[in-house]
PDB file of all heavy atoms in Angstrom:
ATOM      1  N   TRP I   1     134.726  37.566 205.417  1.00 84.00           N
ATOM      2  CA  TRP I   1     134.826  36.684 204.215  1.00 84.00           C
ATOM      3  C   TRP I   1     133.698  35.681 204.084  1.00 84.00           C
ATOM      4  O   TRP I   1     133.396  35.279 202.948  1.00 84.00           O
ATOM      5  CB  TRP I   1     136.192  35.959 204.245  1.00 84.00           C
ATOM      6  CG  TRP I   1     136.497  35.310 205.598  1.00 84.00           C
ATOM      7  CD1 TRP I   1     136.043  34.080 206.011  1.00 84.00           C
ATOM      8  CD2 TRP I   1     137.281  35.802 206.590  1.00 84.00           C
ATOM      9  NE1 TRP I   1     136.515  33.878 207.237  1.00 84.00           N
ATOM     10  CE2 TRP I   1     137.374  34.891 207.646  1.00 84.00           C
ATOM     11  CE3 TRP I   1     138.010  36.997 206.780  1.00 84.00           C
ATOM     12  CZ2 TRP I   1     138.001  35.109 208.849  1.00 84.00           C
ATOM     13  CZ3 TRP I   1     138.727  37.228 207.922  1.00 84.00           C
ATOM     14  CH2 TRP I   1     138.708  36.262 208.902  1.00 84.00           C
ATOM     15  N   SER I   2     133.063  35.344 205.226  1.00 90.00           N
ATOM     16  CA  SER I   2     131.858  34.538 205.087  1.00 90.00           C
ATOM     17  C   SER I   2     130.748  35.269 204.362  1.00 90.00           C
ATOM     18  O   SER I   2     129.979  34.786 203.623  1.00 90.00           O
ATOM     19  CB  SER I   2     131.385  34.055 206.491  1.00 90.00           C
ATOM     20  OG  SER I   2     132.333  33.334 207.127  1.00 90.00           O
ATOM     21  N   ILE I   3     130.620  36.571 204.680  1.00 93.00           N
ATOM     22  CA  ILE I   3     129.662  37.410 204.065  1.00 93.00           C
ATOM     23  C   ILE I   3     130.012  37.556 202.606  1.00 93.00           C
ATOM     24  O   ILE I   3     129.080  37.468 201.705  1.00 93.00           O
ATOM     25  CB  ILE I   3     129.555  38.813 204.723  1.00 93.00           C
ATOM     26  CG1 ILE I   3     129.123  38.609 206.247  1.00 93.00           C
ATOM     27  CG2 ILE I   3     128.629  39.749 204.046  1.00 93.00           C
ATOM     28  CD1 ILE I   3     129.207  39.903 207.067  1.00 93.00           C
ATOM     29  N   GLU I   4     131.276  37.736 202.290  1.00 92.00           N
ATOM     30  CA  GLU I   4     131.706  37.881 200.900  1.00 92.00           C
ATOM     31  C   GLU I   4     131.384  36.600 200.106  1.00 92.00           C
ATOM     32  O   GLU I   4     130.944  36.705 198.974  1.00 92.00           O
ATOM     33  CB  GLU I   4     133.224  38.148 200.854  1.00 92.00           C
ATOM     34  CG  GLU I   4     133.739  38.354 199.464  1.00 92.00           C
ATOM     35  CD  GLU I   4     135.267  38.444 199.434  1.00 92.00           C
ATOM     36  OE1 GLU I   4     135.911  38.362 200.497  1.00 92.00           O
ATOM     37  OE2 GLU I   4     135.808  38.681 198.382  1.00 92.00           O
ATOM     38  N   LYS I   5     131.592  35.465 200.701  1.00 93.00           N
ATOM     39  CA  LYS I   5     131.279  34.212 200.015  1.00 93.00           C
ATOM     40  C   LYS I   5     129.787  34.074 199.684  1.00 93.00           C
ATOM     41  O   LYS I   5     129.348  33.738 198.637  1.00 93.00           O
ATOM     42  CB  LYS I   5     131.693  33.046 200.939  1.00 93.00           C
ATOM     43  CG  LYS I   5     131.494  31.692 200.290  1.00 93.00           C
ATOM     44  CD  LYS I   5     131.961  30.555 201.224  1.00 93.00           C
ATOM     45  CE  LYS I   5     131.668  29.155 200.647  1.00 93.00           C
ATOM     46  NZ  LYS I   5     132.137  28.111 201.576  1.00 93.00           N
ATOM     47  N   SER I   6     128.970  34.425 200.733  1.00 94.00           N
ATOM     48  CA  SER I   6     127.475  34.366 200.549  1.00 94.00           C
ATOM     49  C   SER I   6     127.037  35.372 199.476  1.00 94.00           C
ATOM     50  O   SER I   6     126.097  35.116 198.701  1.00 94.00           O
ATOM     51  CB  SER I   6     126.821  34.591 201.846  1.00 94.00           C
ATOM     52  OG  SER I   6     127.048  33.634 202.801  1.00 94.00           O
ATOM     53  N   MET I   7     127.702  36.532 199.496  1.00 95.00           N
ATOM     54  CA  MET I   7     127.358  37.561 198.591  1.00 95.00           C
ATOM     55  C   MET I   7     127.635  37.164 197.147  1.00 95.00           C
ATOM     56  O   MET I   7     126.786  37.390 196.194  1.00 95.00           O
ATOM     57  CB  MET I   7     128.132  38.861 198.799  1.00 95.00           C
ATOM     58  CG  MET I   7     127.507  40.140 198.328  1.00 95.00           C
ATOM     59  SD  MET I   7     125.980  40.552 199.165  1.00 95.00           S
ATOM     60  CE  MET I   7     126.629  41.170 200.764  1.00 95.00           C
ATOM     61  N   LYS I   8     128.762  36.397 196.960  1.00 94.00           N
ATOM     62  CA  LYS I   8     129.009  35.911 195.624  1.00 94.00           C
ATOM     63  C   LYS I   8     127.986  34.957 195.101  1.00 94.00           C
ATOM     64  O   LYS I   8     127.562  34.930 193.994  1.00 94.00           O
ATOM     65  CB  LYS I   8     130.432  35.239 195.684  1.00 94.00           C
ATOM     66  CG  LYS I   8     130.880  34.573 194.357  1.00 94.00           C
ATOM     67  CD  LYS I   8     132.214  33.921 194.490  1.00 94.00           C
ATOM     68  CE  LYS I   8     132.580  33.239 193.196  1.00 94.00           C
ATOM     69  NZ  LYS I   8     133.881  32.518 193.259  1.00 94.00           N
ATOM     70  N   ILE I   9     127.527  34.047 196.038  1.00 94.00           N
ATOM     71  CA  ILE I   9     126.511  33.116 195.687  1.00 94.00           C
ATOM     72  C   ILE I   9     125.199  33.743 195.230  1.00 94.00           C
ATOM     73  O   ILE I   9     124.562  33.481 194.224  1.00 94.00           O
ATOM     74  CB  ILE I   9     126.236  32.113 196.808  1.00 94.00           C
ATOM     75  CG1 ILE I   9     127.428  31.267 197.099  1.00 94.00           C
ATOM     76  CG2 ILE I   9     125.001  31.269 196.556  1.00 94.00           C
ATOM     77  CD1 ILE I   9     127.377  30.427 198.409  1.00 94.00           C
ATOM     78  N   VAL I  10     124.800  34.790 196.053  1.00 94.00           N
ATOM     79  CA  VAL I  10     123.561  35.523 195.795  1.00 94.00           C
ATOM     80  C   VAL I  10     123.648  36.335 194.480  1.00 94.00           C
ATOM     81  O   VAL I  10     122.700  36.352 193.713  1.00 94.00           O
ATOM     82  CB  VAL I  10     123.161  36.440 196.924  1.00 94.00           C
ATOM     83  CG1 VAL I  10     122.030  37.345 196.602  1.00 94.00           C
ATOM     84  CG2 VAL I  10     122.787  35.565 198.158  1.00 94.00           C
ATOM     85  N   LEU I  11     124.807  36.982 194.260  1.00 94.00           N
ATOM     86  CA  LEU I  11     124.995  37.777 193.047  1.00 94.00           C
ATOM     87  C   LEU I  11     124.887  36.869 191.795  1.00 94.00           C
ATOM     88  O   LEU I  11     124.339  37.269 190.775  1.00 94.00           O
ATOM     89  CB  LEU I  11     126.318  38.466 193.074  1.00 94.00           C
ATOM     90  CG  LEU I  11     126.395  39.757 193.958  1.00 94.00           C
ATOM     91  CD1 LEU I  11     127.850  40.186 194.163  1.00 94.00           C
ATOM     92  CD2 LEU I  11     125.585  40.875 193.366  1.00 94.00           C
ATOM     93  N   GLU I  12     125.486  35.721 191.881  1.00 92.00           N
ATOM     94  CA  GLU I  12     125.455  34.792 190.725  1.00 92.00           C
ATOM     95  C   GLU I  12     124.025  34.219 190.538  1.00 92.00           C
ATOM     96  O   GLU I  12     123.598  33.921 189.451  1.00 92.00           O
ATOM     97  CB  GLU I  12     126.458  33.687 190.920  1.00 92.00           C
ATOM     98  CG  GLU I  12     127.865  34.144 190.804  1.00 92.00           C
ATOM     99  CD  GLU I  12     128.918  33.057 191.107  1.00 92.00           C
ATOM    100  OE1 GLU I  12     128.490  31.944 191.593  1.00 92.00           O
ATOM    101  OE2 GLU I  12     130.131  33.266 190.875  1.00 92.00           O
ATOM    102  N   HIS I  13     123.305  34.082 191.645  1.00 91.00           N
ATOM    103  CA  HIS I  13     121.948  33.713 191.584  1.00 91.00           C
ATOM    104  C   HIS I  13     121.001  34.677 190.886  1.00 91.00           C
ATOM    105  O   HIS I  13     120.182  34.287 190.048  1.00 91.00           O
ATOM    106  CB  HIS I  13     121.451  33.437 193.035  1.00 91.00           C
ATOM    107  CG  HIS I  13     120.047  32.933 193.065  1.00 91.00           C
ATOM    108  ND1 HIS I  13     119.642  31.688 192.716  1.00 91.00           N
ATOM    109  CD2 HIS I  13     118.857  33.567 193.482  1.00 91.00           C
ATOM    110  CE1 HIS I  13     118.327  31.514 192.924  1.00 91.00           C
ATOM    111  NE2 HIS I  13     117.819  32.674 193.376  1.00 91.00           N
ATOM    112  N   VAL I  14     121.132  35.977 191.222  1.00 87.00           N
ATOM    113  CA  VAL I  14     120.318  36.995 190.629  1.00 87.00           C
ATOM    114  C   VAL I  14     120.788  37.480 189.288  1.00 87.00           C
ATOM    115  O   VAL I  14     119.979  37.920 188.426  1.00 87.00           O
ATOM    116  CB  VAL I  14     120.097  38.181 191.583  1.00 87.00           C
ATOM    117  CG1 VAL I  14     119.515  37.740 192.901  1.00 87.00           C
ATOM    118  CG2 VAL I  14     121.393  38.909 191.768  1.00 87.00           C
ATOM    119  N   GLY I  15     122.126  37.423 189.064  1.00 82.00           N
ATOM    120  CA  GLY I  15     122.687  37.886 187.802  1.00 82.00           C
ATOM    121  C   GLY I  15     122.571  39.459 187.675  1.00 82.00           C
ATOM    122  O   GLY I  15     122.295  40.071 188.675  1.00 82.00           O
ATOM    123  N   LEU I  16     122.783  39.961 186.425  1.00 71.00           N
ATOM    124  CA  LEU I  16     122.761  41.334 186.283  1.00 71.00           C
ATOM    125  C   LEU I  16     121.442  41.857 185.806  1.00 71.00           C
ATOM    126  O   LEU I  16     121.238  43.017 185.491  1.00 71.00           O
ATOM    127  CB  LEU I  16     123.828  41.738 185.203  1.00 71.00           C
ATOM    128  CG  LEU I  16     125.266  41.510 185.604  1.00 71.00           C
ATOM    129  CD1 LEU I  16     126.210  41.882 184.430  1.00 71.00           C
ATOM    130  CD2 LEU I  16     125.661  42.326 186.820  1.00 71.00           C
ATOM    131  N   GLY I  17     120.419  40.970 185.717  1.00 71.00           N
ATOM    132  CA  GLY I  17     119.130  41.304 185.176  1.00 71.00           C
ATOM    133  C   GLY I  17     118.190  41.979 186.155  1.00 71.00           C
ATOM    134  O   GLY I  17     116.977  41.904 185.979  1.00 71.00           O
ATOM    135  N   VAL I  18     118.664  42.557 187.285  1.00 84.00           N
ATOM    136  CA  VAL I  18     117.760  43.203 188.238  1.00 84.00           C
ATOM    137  C   VAL I  18     117.227  44.430 187.580  1.00 84.00           C
ATOM    138  O   VAL I  18     117.969  45.282 187.133  1.00 84.00           O
ATOM    139  CB  VAL I  18     118.547  43.508 189.520  1.00 84.00           C
ATOM    140  CG1 VAL I  18     117.652  44.221 190.530  1.00 84.00           C
ATOM    141  CG2 VAL I  18     119.152  42.255 190.121  1.00 84.00           C
ATOM    142  N   VAL I  19     115.929  44.581 187.593  1.00 86.00           N
ATOM    143  CA  VAL I  19     115.320  45.733 187.030  1.00 86.00           C
ATOM    144  C   VAL I  19     115.602  47.003 187.817  1.00 86.00           C
ATOM    145  O   VAL I  19     115.649  46.955 189.096  1.00 86.00           O
ATOM    146  CB  VAL I  19     113.740  45.580 186.978  1.00 86.00           C
ATOM    147  CG1 VAL I  19     113.041  46.828 186.543  1.00 86.00           C
ATOM    148  CG2 VAL I  19     113.385  44.379 186.026  1.00 86.00           C
ATOM    149  N   ASP I  20     115.923  48.079 187.157  1.00 91.00           N
ATOM    150  CA  ASP I  20     116.360  49.307 187.776  1.00 91.00           C
ATOM    151  C   ASP I  20     115.102  50.222 188.013  1.00 91.00           C
ATOM    152  O   ASP I  20     114.408  50.599 187.047  1.00 91.00           O
ATOM    153  CB  ASP I  20     117.343  50.025 186.928  1.00 91.00           C
ATOM    154  CG  ASP I  20     118.098  51.106 187.712  1.00 91.00           C
ATOM    155  OD1 ASP I  20     117.550  51.700 188.713  1.00 91.00           O
ATOM    156  OD2 ASP I  20     119.258  51.375 187.362  1.00 91.00           O
ATOM    157  N   PRO I  21     114.829  50.577 189.248  1.00 92.00           N
ATOM    158  CA  PRO I  21     113.717  51.457 189.537  1.00 92.00           C
ATOM    159  C   PRO I  21     113.917  52.900 189.150  1.00 92.00           C
ATOM    160  O   PRO I  21     112.928  53.635 189.121  1.00 92.00           O
ATOM    161  CB  PRO I  21     113.492  51.292 191.023  1.00 92.00           C
ATOM    162  CG  PRO I  21     114.808  50.924 191.593  1.00 92.00           C
ATOM    163  CD  PRO I  21     115.462  50.124 190.500  1.00 92.00           C
ATOM    164  N   VAL I  22     115.201  53.272 188.989  1.00 95.00           N
ATOM    165  CA  VAL I  22     115.512  54.628 188.492  1.00 95.00           C
ATOM    166  C   VAL I  22     115.337  54.690 187.031  1.00 95.00           C
ATOM    167  O   VAL I  22     116.035  53.944 186.271  1.00 95.00           O
ATOM    168  CB  VAL I  22     116.893  55.034 188.940  1.00 95.00           C
ATOM    169  CG1 VAL I  22     117.160  56.462 188.443  1.00 95.00           C
ATOM    170  CG2 VAL I  22     117.117  54.933 190.365  1.00 95.00           C
ATOM    171  N   PRO I  23     114.437  55.485 186.473  1.00 94.00           N
ATOM    172  CA  PRO I  23     114.226  55.534 184.976  1.00 94.00           C
ATOM    173  C   PRO I  23     115.455  55.876 184.217  1.00 94.00           C
ATOM    174  O   PRO I  23     116.335  56.570 184.771  1.00 94.00           O
ATOM    175  CB  PRO I  23     113.156  56.593 184.864  1.00 94.00           C
ATOM    176  CG  PRO I  23     112.426  56.730 186.164  1.00 94.00           C
ATOM    177  CD  PRO I  23     113.500  56.365 187.227  1.00 94.00           C
ATOM    178  N   ALA I  24     115.532  55.323 183.028  1.00 94.00           N
ATOM    179  CA  ALA I  24     116.774  55.559 182.189  1.00 94.00           C
ATOM    180  C   ALA I  24     117.059  57.017 182.079  1.00 94.00           C
ATOM    181  O   ALA I  24     118.308  57.353 182.079  1.00 94.00           O
ATOM    182  CB  ALA I  24     116.539  54.813 180.865  1.00 94.00           C
ATOM    183  N   ALA I  25     116.073  57.883 181.823  1.00 94.00           N
ATOM    184  CA  ALA I  25     116.328  59.292 181.587  1.00 94.00           C
ATOM    185  C   ALA I  25     116.981  59.892 182.838  1.00 94.00           C
ATOM    186  O   ALA I  25     117.927  60.719 182.667  1.00 94.00           O
ATOM    187  CB  ALA I  25     115.003  60.017 181.328  1.00 94.00           C
ATOM    188  N   VAL I  26     116.530  59.543 184.044  1.00 95.00           N
ATOM    189  CA  VAL I  26     117.135  60.090 185.262  1.00 95.00           C
ATOM    190  C   VAL I  26     118.516  59.545 185.465  1.00 95.00           C
ATOM    191  O   VAL I  26     119.461  60.249 185.760  1.00 95.00           O
ATOM    192  CB  VAL I  26     116.274  59.721 186.469  1.00 95.00           C
ATOM    193  CG1 VAL I  26     116.902  60.158 187.783  1.00 95.00           C
ATOM    194  CG2 VAL I  26     114.837  60.384 186.379  1.00 95.00           C
ATOM    195  N   ARG I  27     118.703  58.221 185.100  1.00 95.00           N
ATOM    196  CA  ARG I  27     120.016  57.557 185.244  1.00 95.00           C
ATOM    197  C   ARG I  27     121.037  58.229 184.335  1.00 95.00           C
ATOM    198  O   ARG I  27     122.155  58.504 184.719  1.00 95.00           O
ATOM    199  CB  ARG I  27     119.789  56.094 184.971  1.00 95.00           C
ATOM    200  CG  ARG I  27     120.939  55.236 185.396  1.00 95.00           C
ATOM    201  CD  ARG I  27     120.597  53.754 185.472  1.00 95.00           C
ATOM    202  NE  ARG I  27     120.202  53.227 184.128  1.00 95.00           N
ATOM    203  CZ  ARG I  27     119.032  52.724 183.797  1.00 95.00           C
ATOM    204  NH1 ARG I  27     118.085  52.621 184.700  1.00 95.00           N
ATOM    205  NH2 ARG I  27     118.829  52.255 182.625  1.00 95.00           N
ATOM    206  N   ASP I  28     120.566  58.444 183.044  1.00 95.00           N
ATOM    207  CA  ASP I  28     121.537  59.090 182.118  1.00 95.00           C
ATOM    208  C   ASP I  28     121.926  60.508 182.549  1.00 95.00           C
ATOM    209  O   ASP I  28     123.043  60.891 182.482  1.00 95.00           O
ATOM    210  CB  ASP I  28     120.830  59.095 180.736  1.00 95.00           C
ATOM    211  CG  ASP I  28     120.746  57.700 180.150  1.00 95.00           C
ATOM    212  OD1 ASP I  28     121.302  56.800 180.691  1.00 95.00           O
ATOM    213  OD2 ASP I  28     119.940  57.589 179.166  1.00 95.00           O
TER     214      ASP I  28
END
């Protein structure tokens, strides 16, 4: 749960805007 708490902080810090290295065509 300590890891879970830290993970929550880091996820909120980076947000959903992490660039995806897998190209959209491959992802689709």
